[in-house]
């Protein structure tokens, strides 16, 4: 790029401006990347915590279901009374321009959907534990999707920052140096030329005198 650039003061000013903008852009991208990384690491820790809760709650739910089956027989008919969940809501929030999902389940105050005469407290506990798993699963889906989106944004931001740092900024710096050196050399040549002309005029004046 430096070789193809005409060494003029106008091009020097334009290149210096581009260099300054590139440096500013790199600083902003680097700051954005750091913020996104911090956000992602916090979500990864949260995802691990939620997964632990899901594993524990699943174990409690299946244990309660097993006890209910032992006490009341196979609970297939009871399972058919549980309604299908249709209260899932998804909204979005922005983190440094990255759209992050917010998943929520509508609160239900409905009574237990099956009859109490043919069931026991273990069935109630299993129902409550599986409901909790459903809520935790929605929360985990939100967090994991957010992590994927942030990781993708970090990758793209890093790529752009690297392009500025390793390609554009060095190229502009090289061009600034090339133009500066060319202009300085031109000034030296002009100074030498003027000095020769002055010497010639002085010699001519002395000769005429």
């Amino acid at each position: 790029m430096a070789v193809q650039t005409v060494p003029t003061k106008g091009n020097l000013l334009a290149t210096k401006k581009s260099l300054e903008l590139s440096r500013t852009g790199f600083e902003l991208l680097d700051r954005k990347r750091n913020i996104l990384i911090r956000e992602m690491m916090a979500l990864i820790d949260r995802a691990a915590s939620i997964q632990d809760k899901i594993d524990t709650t699943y174990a409690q739910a299946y244990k309660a279901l097993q006890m209910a089956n032992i006490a009341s027989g196979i609970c297939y008919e009871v399972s058919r009374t549980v309604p299908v969940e249709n209260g899932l809501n998804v909204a979005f929030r922005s983190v440094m321009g990255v759209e992050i999902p917010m998943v929520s389940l509508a609160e239900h105050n409905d009574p237990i959907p099956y009859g109490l005469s043919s069931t026991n407290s273990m069935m109630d506990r299993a129902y409550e534990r599986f409901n909790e798993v459903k809520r935790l699963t929605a929360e985990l889906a939100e967090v994991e999707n957010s992590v994927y989106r942030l990781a993708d944004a970090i990758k793209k931001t890093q790529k752009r920052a690297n392009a500025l740092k390793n390609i554009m900024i060095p190229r502009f710096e090289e061009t600034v140096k090339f133009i500066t050196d060319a202009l300085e050399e031109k000034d030296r040549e002009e100074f030498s030329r003027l000095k020769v002309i002055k010497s010639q005029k002085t010699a001519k004046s002395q000769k005429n005198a």
Side-chain angles (χ1 to χ4, degrees), residues 161-180:
N162 287 342
L164 286 173
K165 180 181 179 181
N166 301 322
I167 300 175
M168 300 307 298
I169 291 177
R171 184 178 295 175
F172 286 133
E173 288 175 340
E174 180 186 358
T175 303
V176 168
K177 184 178 185 304
F178 167 76
I179 297 176
T180 301

Side-chain angles (χ1 to χ4, degrees), residues 46 50 53-54 57-58 85 88 103-108 127-143:
R46 183 180 165 196
I50 295 171
K53 290 180 181 178
I54 287 177
T57 308
Y58 255 130
E85 177 61 58
L88 187 68
V103 181
S104 62
L105 285 172
E107 294 291 336
H108 296 292
Y127 178 78
E128 291 172 356
R129 294 291 84 193
F130 278 117
N131 258 343
E132 179 66 10
V133 167
K134 178 174 63 177
R135 185 190 66 78
L136 289 170
T137 301
E139 186 178 355
L140 183 61
E142 171 192 312
V143 174

Side-chain angles (χ1 to χ4, degrees), residues 92-122:
F92 292 91
R93 64 186 178 94
S94 179
V95 177
M96 299 298 291
V98 182
E99 293 296 313
I100 301 300
M102 296 187 297
V103 181
S104 62
L105 285 172
E107 294 291 336
H108 296 292
N109 296 319
D110 302 330
I112 292 176
Y114 52 82
L116 300 180
S117 59
S118 58
T119 59
N120 54 41
S121 61
M122 285 294 99

Side-chain angles (χ1 to χ4, degrees), residues 1-15 174-187 189:
M1 179 177 177
V3 177
Q4 299 175 352
T5 302
V6 179
T8 64
K9 290 183 178 180
N11 284 340
L12 178 60
L13 291 174
T15 305
E174 180 186 358
T175 303
V176 168
K177 184 178 185 304
F178 167 76
I179 297 176
T180 301
D181 290 347
L183 290 177
E184 288 177 353
E185 180 63 27
K186 184 177 179 181
D187 287 341
E189 290 176 357

Side-chain angles (χ1 to χ4, degrees), residues 59-69 122-123 125-126 129:
Q60 294 172 349
Y62 278 113
K63 184 176 180 179
L65 184 61
Q66 184 180 31
M67 296 301 294
N69 283 333
M122 285 294 99
M123 177 60 69
R125 178 169 175 78
R129 294 291 84 193

